Amino acid sequence: MKLKFSLKNKELSMESDVEKLIEKGLDNAADPNRKTRYQIKQEEKRKNAELKHKQEMTKLVVGLGLLILPIVLFLIIGVCGGFNP
């Protein structure tokens, strides 16, 4: 596609290769699974949200593990009587 603009003659002309445009349109129409920018953006948002949720759950499990471990150790030591010589 060519666009010619002339200020002196106040002309605007456009030339295009119709066959190539039609072929390009047919090529795009042949792929029904082609995703729009919006669909791609939404998929990325969903993937990021899933990853963020997974990371939050991992932090929660590690935090609870670090909280529960000392309690369990103190209970075991208390039951065994480890602090009383």
Side-chain angles (χ1 to χ4, degrees):
M1 183 179 292
K2 296 179 183 178
L3 182 65
K4 296 180 182 179
F5 182 71
S6 174
L7 288 174
K8 289 182 182 178
N9 300 334
K10 296 182 183 177
E11 294 180 345
L12 176 68
S13 64
M14 184 172 75
E15 298 175 15
S16 64
D17 188 3
V18 177
E19 290 177 8
K20 286 184 182 178
L21 291 174
I22 292 173
E23 288 176 6
K24 186 176 180 182
L26 291 176
D27 289 342
N28 289 339
D31 186 15
N33 296 329
R34 185 168 180 235
K35 297 179 182 175
T36 62
R37 290 181 184 166
Y38 177 75
Q39 289 172 329
I40 293 170
K41 194 181 286 187
Q42 291 295 58
E43 285 181 5
E44 289 296 321
K45 283 183 182 179
R46 182 185 52 78
K47 287 179 185 178
N48 289 338
E50 287 177 0
L51 181 60
K52 186 177 180 181
H53 181 260
K54 186 177 179 181
Q55 289 173 345
E56 288 176 354
M57 289 296 117
T58 304
K59 287 179 184 179
L60 180 66
V61 168
V62 169
L64 287 176
L66 291 175
L67 180 67
I68 293 173
L69 183 65
I71 295 171
V72 171
L73 287 175
F74 283 122
L75 285 175
I76 293 172
I77 293 171
V79 169
C80 295
F83 290 122
N84 297 330

